Amino acid sequence: MRRSLFVSILHDIQQVNEYLIQTCDATGALGLSSVQKMIVALWILQYGVPADSVDKYIRIGESTAIAALNFFTRSIVATYDAVYLRSPNEVDVARLLQEGEQRRSSLFAELTRGRAPTANYTINNHAYTMGYYLADGICPRWATIVKTISQPQDAKRQVFARMHEACRKDVERAFRVLQARFNIIRVLVKGWSDEDLYYIVKTCIILHNMIIEDERDILENERSAA
């Protein structure tokens, strides 16, 4: 991420968690800096290294590194969850449909509860007003879930299966991009509790979305200047 984004995130999470603010001990000696605490958390997330391996590089012990990661991930979720992990609104849907004109499927977190932003599109002369999930055979048979066709026989079903699986691969590739950015998602997770993993994964997704948004703003500004 860019330095400006790093500084912005650090400022925001300091407002919700005092642990991330540098303090002094009883003798007046300064403790670990806010930057050190955030860097050690990002180091563990990005490289997936054990907490006891960061002392050599960042001069923070194992227990402190674990505490820094836990405070960091919980602060990130508390600060940004409502913005970067919200369900897509109509503006988001319109943008996604415009960007992926040839790929008409979208994912909506609220579909399973019968709620979703309006998404108007037409397939085979049939008008639809709600998005849907692309899924494989293990998912339930719901109206908002579209599965591939197992062993398609005729040409029409073969085309459907091929296009369906191609779109599903787009989603899988997106998750691999997340894994590439945060190695902790792809390595063994021994030592982390279920609660820790919950916040770790959500933090990785939020940070990924923030970085993508920041990079998109850079490109838009460059195009405007041109």
Side-chain angles (χ1 to χ4, degrees):
M1 67 176 68
R2 292 193 303 161
R3 178 183 177 86
S4 59
L5 180 58
F6 179 98
V7 173
S8 176
I9 292 173
L10 180 58
H11 175 269
D12 288 346
I13 60 180
Q14 284 178 328
Q15 310 308 307
V16 300
N17 200 318
E18 293 182 353
Y19 176 84
L20 296 162
I21 300 175
Q22 188 176 32
T23 57
C24 300
D25 62 18
T27 66
L30 287 173
L32 294 170
S33 72
S34 304
V35 172
Q36 278 180 293
K37 295 173 183 177
M38 182 165 165
I39 286 177
V40 73
L42 290 174
W43 187 282
I44 295 173
L45 293 175
Q46 181 175 359
Y47 297 107
V49 296
D52 61 358
S53 68
V54 299
D55 182 50
K56 178 180 178 182
Y57 304 99
I58 310 178
R59 300 183 181 278
I60 292 181
E62 178 182 5
S63 61
T64 306
I66 293 173
L69 177 66
N70 285 336
F71 280 116
F72 177 76
T73 55
R74 283 154 178 78
S75 299
I76 288 290
V77 173
T79 305
Y80 299 114
D81 181 81
V83 177
Y84 290 96
L85 286 182
R86 62 175 172 78
S87 298
N89 56 34
E90 293 187 17
V91 174
D92 297 325
V93 173
R95 176 176 57 80
L96 291 171
L97 291 176
Q98 182 178 10
E99 291 177 357
E101 189 65 25
Q102 303 303 317
R103 303 204 181 248
R104 291 294 183 174
S105 61
S106 302
L107 301 177
F108 304 97
E110 297 293 303
L111 284 182
T112 56
R113 292 186 284 273
R115 299 192 300 269
T118 301
N120 296 303
Y121 54 94
T122 302
I123 298 177
N124 293 334
N125 296 321
H126 291 283
Y128 297 88
T129 59
M130 182 179 289
Y132 54 87
Y133 285 109
L134 294 181
D136 54 25
I138 66 173
C139 294
R141 297 175 63 86
W142 293 348
T144 52
I145 290 182
V146 178
K147 302 181 182 183
T148 188
I149 299 175
S150 176
Q151 298 179 339
Q153 300 300 316
D154 57 58
K156 181 178 179 180
R157 287 174 171 77
Q158 289 173 1
V159 170
F160 175 87
R162 185 169 64 253
M163 298 301 294
H164 181 287
E165 291 163 8
C167 291
R168 274 178 43 212
K169 287 180 180 177
D170 287 346
V171 178
E172 294 169 358
R173 291 189 187 102
F175 189 73
R176 291 195 185 101
V177 169
L178 190 67
Q179 289 181 317
R181 177 163 274 160
F182 300 101
N183 201 52
I184 195 171
I185 296 178
R186 60 190 304 172
V187 300
L188 295 176
V189 293
K190 292 180 179 179
W192 301 110
S193 67
D194 290 347
E195 182 182 9
D196 291 337
L197 292 174
Y198 169 83
Y199 283 102
I200 285 172
V201 173
K202 291 194 78 171
T203 295
C204 291
I205 296 172
I206 290 170
L207 291 177
H208 174 75
N209 289 343
M210 294 182 75
I211 293 169
I212 292 299
E213 180 183 71
D214 187 56
E215 292 174 348
R216 184 168 62 236
D217 291 341
I218 295 174
L219 292 175
E220 290 177 355
N221 290 335
E222 290 177 350
R223 283 195 292 265
S224 298

